[in-house]
């Protein structure tokens, strides 16, 4: 069966909009875009539109490519103090002269709705999660819709980036699964995939995962987004073959992508509720 990320994300947005409608002050999200990378501009626009749809206050802040580190940090400090803003997101990647790590660490951890600040990553590591990285958290929401209990399942995560693979592995471990994390140096990847009851792939290589590697009845979550020469979007898994072996599989597009933005809204509402409670 297909795990319909578009539909699950829509339900999540409806639930968030219902909650926002009851609030006196609107939750606020600020998204900073540095430079004019077209893909980043599309992501930022989508986030801004999603905010408007659920009734959030949103600020889209465009900064020139040649902004200095100090100017960018000052902007974040301003937003840290702004009472209208509950969540701050700096669209990655940043230009090479900017220290992205310092930028993320300057965001108030209580407004870090991307969940990338070391304090939030540390909480996830300790199984005391607060603001969790959006893509892996969105994947957990999708897995929950299958009704499959993850406890004791063999889960394989392919890809070990800070924004997807590593926090994904922690999410699955926190759900008491047995987790294998693979990277570009992993030997005999296919043997590991064949053991996977749950497979999450976040690499960025079309058809890296071949259909005949999939364990019968597995759940396949394809995080990869790759644009082919003909303009079409595909994931990292050979969907046409894998879908016949898997019990559940996400499509690309319409799988994990929509969940990431809906989860960003969910995190912003969490940050808002914490700020309001204080
Ligand atoms: P990344 O930072 O480039 O990391 C890629 C990871 O894949 C690295 O850990 C790398 O290993 C590993 N890898 C590379 N080649 C491999 C191979 N042959 N076998 C096994 N592992 C291999 O990428 P990312 O930011 O995590 O993104 C991954 C993909 O997900 C991209 O297609 C991206 O567009 C997509 N994405 C989608 C969403 C969404 O919302 N749907 C969100 C974020 C990202 P090393 O650690 O050894 O280098």
């Amino acid at each position: 069966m297909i795990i319909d990320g578009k539909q699950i994300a829509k339900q999540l947005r409806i639930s968030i909009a219902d909650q926002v409608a009851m609030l006196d002050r609107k939750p606020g999200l600020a998204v900073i875009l540095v430079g004019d990378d077209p893909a980043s501009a599309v992501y930022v626009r989508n986030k801004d539109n999603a905010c408007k749809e659920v009734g959030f206050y949103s600020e889209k802040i465009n900064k020139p490519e040649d902004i200095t580190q100090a100017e960018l940090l000052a902007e974040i400090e301003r937003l840290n103090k702004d009472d209208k803003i509950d969540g701050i997101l700096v669209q990655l990647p940043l230009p090479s002269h900017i220290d992205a790590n310092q930028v993320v660490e300057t965001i108030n951890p209580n407004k870090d709705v991307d969940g990338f600040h070391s304090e939030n990553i540390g909480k996830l590591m300790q199984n005391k999660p607060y603001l969790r990285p959006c893509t892996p958290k969105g994947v957990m929401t999708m897995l929950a819709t299958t009704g499959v209990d993850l406890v004791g399942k063999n889960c394989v995560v392919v890809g070990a980036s800070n924004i997807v693979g590593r926090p994904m592995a922690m999410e699955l471990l926190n759900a008491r699964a047995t987790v294998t994390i693979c990277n570009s140096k992993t030997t005999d990847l296919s043997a590991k995939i064949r053991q996977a009851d749950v497979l999450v792939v976040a690499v960025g290589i079309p058809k890296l995962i071949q259909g005949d590697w999939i364990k019968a009845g597995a759940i396949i979550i394809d995080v990869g987004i790759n644009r082919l020469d003909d303009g079409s979007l595909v994931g990292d898994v050979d969907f046409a073959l894998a879908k016949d072996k898997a019990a559940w599989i996400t499509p690309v597009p319409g799988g994990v992508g929509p969940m990431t933005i809906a989860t960003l809204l969910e995190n912003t509402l969490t940050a808002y509720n914490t700020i309001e409670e204080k």
Side-chain angles (χ1 to χ4, degrees), residues 135 158-161 163-165 182-185 189 202-205 208 223-226 236 256-257 260:
T135 301
V158 188
S161 69
I163 62 170
V164 189
C182 304
N183 59 33
S184 64
K185 305 295 179 205
L189 184 64
V203 173
I205 301 179
L208 173 72
V223 182
I225 302 176
N226 308 289
D236 294 343
V256 178
T260 297

Side-chain angles (χ1 to χ4, degrees), residues 74-112:
E75 184 66 23
I76 294 169
E77 294 289 9
R78 179 185 74 75
L79 294 166
N80 281 342
K81 293 190 197 106
D82 186 337
D83 292 339
K84 295 190 299 304
I85 298 298
D86 303 283
I88 303 168
L89 181 154
V90 181
Q91 185 65 43
L92 302 176
L94 288 165
S96 55
H97 69 279
I98 300 283
D99 177 350
N101 189 49
Q102 194 187 15
V103 167
V104 170
E105 293 299 309
T106 301
I107 297 172
N108 177 342
N110 292 321
K111 294 191 177 187
D112 166 42

Side-chain angles (χ1 to χ4, degrees), residues 35-251:
D36 46 18
D37 174 61
S40 293
V42 170
Y43 289 136
V44 169
R45 200 169 55 236
N46 289 344
K47 287 167 187 173
D48 194 47
N49 289 340
C51 281
K52 293 199 171 92
E53 188 192 322
V54 297
F56 282 5
Y57 168 75
S58 79
E59 276 185 35
K60 193 154 66 83
I61 301 164
N62 291 301
K63 292 289 176 188
E65 179 88 22
D66 61 355
I67 189 172
T68 66
Q69 179 87 12
E71 285 166 339
L72 185 54
L73 297 186
E75 184 66 23
I76 294 169
E77 294 289 9
R78 179 185 74 75
L79 294 166
N80 281 342
K81 293 190 197 106
D82 186 337
D83 292 339
K84 295 190 299 304
I85 298 298
D86 303 283
I88 303 168
L89 181 154
V90 181
Q91 185 65 43
L92 302 176
L94 288 165
S96 55
H97 69 279
I98 300 283
D99 177 350
N101 189 49
Q102 194 187 15
V103 167
V104 170
E105 293 299 309
T106 301
I107 297 172
N108 177 342
N110 292 321
K111 294 191 177 187
D112 166 42
V113 284
D114 248 344
F116 296 158
H117 192 288
S118 56
E119 192 175 308
N120 286 315
I121 291 292
K123 286 180 175 166
L124 182 68
M125 286 286 294
Q126 293 176 331
N127 199 8
K128 294 173 189 150
Y130 175 46
L131 293 172
R132 299 149 59 192
C134 298
T135 301
K137 184 183 175 194
V139 169
M140 295 308 283
T141 306
M142 296 175 97
L143 287 172
T145 65
T146 67
V148 174
D149 185 3
L150 295 175
V151 175
K153 290 283 186 302
N154 283 330
C155 297
V156 175
V157 178
V158 188
S161 69
N162 285 335
I163 62 170
V164 189
R166 284 166 195 258
M168 186 71 246
M170 266 322 119
E171 290 279 1
L172 293 165
L173 186 62
N174 291 346
R176 313 216 65 209
T178 303
V179 186
T180 303
I181 313 171
C182 304
N183 59 33
S184 64
K185 305 295 179 205
T186 297
T187 54
D188 206 355
L189 184 64
S190 64
K192 290 167 179 74
I193 306 286
R194 286 179 209 279
Q195 301 293 317
D197 301 312
V198 177
L199 174 66
V200 183
V201 191
V203 173
I205 301 179
K207 293 195 181 174
L208 173 72
I209 308 298
Q210 297 174 25
D212 62 349
W213 296 358
I214 304 299
K215 182 177 174 180
I219 303 178
I220 312 296
I221 307 283
D222 192 349
V223 182
I225 302 176
N226 308 289
R227 192 169 290 281
L228 301 182
D229 291 342
D230 66 4
S232 61
L233 284 183
V234 297
D236 294 343
V237 178
D238 185 355
F239 182 86
L241 293 177
K243 74 175 186 339
D244 293 334
K245 294 196 83 180
W248 296 89
I249 188 164
T250 60

